Amino acid sequence: ITQEGADVTPETLTVAAVSNFSANGGTQTSAVTSNVNWTVSENSNWVSITPTSGSDNGTISITAAENTNTTTRTATITVSGGDITTSL
């Protein structure tokens, strides 16, 4: 006897790109398109993200502090859900 498994919907997780921030900083939003629970993390002390988690489709706000130095800064924002990880 053979029994097929239930239909499984493939996991999806995409995040819309954002533009570079000016030296003045500011806030940008990014759309998350997903069918799984997801979490957001960043690797710098000059960027903050809200919310840091969600489920299914949503929007994250990315806030960059003003850069008072003459050196360009770079940060990585990582969104993970299920078996998928994507970075901005």
Side-chain angles (χ1 to χ4, degrees), residues 12-56:
T12 61
L13 176 64
T14 58
V15 183
V18 295
S19 302
N20 289 336
F21 285 88
S22 73
N24 295 328
T27 300
Q28 296 184 40
T29 59
S30 178
V32 178
T33 305
S34 180
N35 64 355
V36 296
N37 295 337
W38 44 267
T39 58
V40 183
S41 61
E42 46 78 22
N43 68 345
S44 69
N45 60 359
W46 56 272
V47 173
S48 62
I49 311 290
T50 56
T52 56
S53 64
S55 61
D56 298 319

